[in-house]
Structure formats: structure tokens, C-alpha cells
């Protein structure tokens, strides 16, 4: 996924500083491997904020939220949240929450995710390759309210 702005003359790709934990040099890829990638890019209720939520997984699930502020035609990363859900050595499900790369208690991490989801003002683009009923963000918007949807979802809507 590439994000652009218009500078009055042409489209200019925005900076992706901080959003580089994965492949593709930080550009979010919609892939069908293992659990696939689900994501939503949404405007926050605060002025000039943009959130990117994504999840993917295989042996474990990884959930990420990046909060950006638009400054001088650049997206400046101001907060990064992650939650890795897997099994510990005893076979029990465990969550490891991090804020800006530092581990935080589960209650604090869960609250941070919920607070970020509450900031949803307008979905810009999203794609979910699987049901994520356990993630409250997906309950906050519909395809009809988004500014953009994935190619497959657009074809399905146009076929109706």
C-alpha cells in the first residue's frame, strides 16, 4: 500500500518512517499467506491524525497500530502499539503488548488498543481476509462508509 498526497502540482508519496517492521520497506502488503493480512487505514478524531491497524500471523498472531500526525506533507510516527498473541511453553495463550517497542502490562496494552480504535473518524481503506469478530475495530464501520475498499470488495459490490 502506497500513500500519496497532492502538492498542488503532482502526487507525492508520503514518508513511512517507523512503519518498517515487515517486508516491502514498510509498505503494507495485502498477502494471502498463512492468516493473511488484514488492515485498516483511518483518520483519527484529532486533527491531522492517521492510524494504520494491521494484523497477520502464522504460528502466532501479530496486531499493530501506528498513529501518525501529518506535518509538512510527511507522516510523522508518534506512537506504535503491538500485540503478539501466541502460546507460551505451557501451551497457554499469551499476549505480549508493546508501546513504542517497550513491553507494557497487558491491561495497559489492551486499553491502548481500545483507545486507538475509539479514535476512528473515517475509514479510508481496509481489507480483511478473515473474520475478526474478536477485534472491536471491525465493528465500527462498514464498506458503505469507507472512502475506499479493496479491489475484490469493489468488484463484489459492483456485481450486485
Amino acid at each position: 500500500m502506497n500513500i500519496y498526497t497532492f502538492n498542488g502540482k503532482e502526487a507525492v508519496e508520503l514518508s513511512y518512517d517507523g512503519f518498517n517492521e515487515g517486508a516491502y520497506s514498510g509498505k503494507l502488503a495485502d498477502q494471502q499467506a498463512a492468516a493473511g493480512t488484514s488492515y485498516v487505514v483511518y483518520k483519527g478524531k484529532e486533527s491531522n491524525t492517521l492510524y494504520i491497524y494491521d494484523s497477520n500471523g502464522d504460528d502466532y498472531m501479530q496486531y499493530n497500530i501506528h498513529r501518525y500526525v501529518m506535518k509538512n506533507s510527511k507522516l510523522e510516527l508518534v506512537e506504535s502499539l503491538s500485540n503478539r498473541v501466541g502460546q507460551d511453553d505451557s501451551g497457554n495463550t499469551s499476549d505480549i503488548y508493546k508501546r513504542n517497542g517497550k513491553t507494557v502490562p497487558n491491561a495497559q496494552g489492551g486499553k491502548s488498543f481500545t483507545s486507538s480504535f475509539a479514535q476512528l473518524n473515517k475509514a479510508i481503506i481496509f481489507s480483511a481476509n478473515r473474520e475478526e469478530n474478536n477485534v472491536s475495530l471491525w465493528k465500527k464501520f462498514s464498506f458503505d462508509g469507507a472512502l475506499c475498499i479493496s479491489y475484490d470488495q469493489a468488484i463484489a459490490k459492483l456485481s450486485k
Side-chain angles (χ1 to χ4, degrees), residues 43-129:
K43 290 172 41 179
K45 291 179 181 177
E46 299 169 6
S47 179
N48 296 318
T49 58
L50 181 78
Y51 289 79
I52 299 177
Y53 162 84
D54 72 277
S55 68
N56 57 61
D58 195 357
D59 292 338
Y60 61 89
M61 287 300 298
Q62 180 73 34
Y63 303 93
N64 303 296
I65 299 175
H66 294 84
R67 180 168 57 101
Y68 295 90
V69 173
M70 178 71 96
K71 290 184 180 177
N72 300 323
S73 297
K74 292 191 179 196
L75 289 177
E76 181 180 310
L77 180 66
V78 293
E79 184 176 43
S80 180
L81 304 169
S82 68
N83 178 20
R84 180 179 168 151
V85 181
Q87 291 188 341
D88 61 21
D89 294 337
S90 303
N92 298 318
T93 300
S94 67
D95 288 84
I96 300 173
Y97 284 97
K98 292 186 179 182
R99 175 183 288 129
N100 299 325
K102 295 181 181 179
T103 302
V104 296
N106 285 5
Q108 185 181 357
K111 186 175 181 180
S112 295
F113 266 74
T114 301
S115 296
S116 294
F117 292 165
Q119 289 301 311
L120 183 130
N121 183 35
K122 186 72 170 176
I124 298 171
I125 184 171
F126 57 93
S127 177
N129 292 324

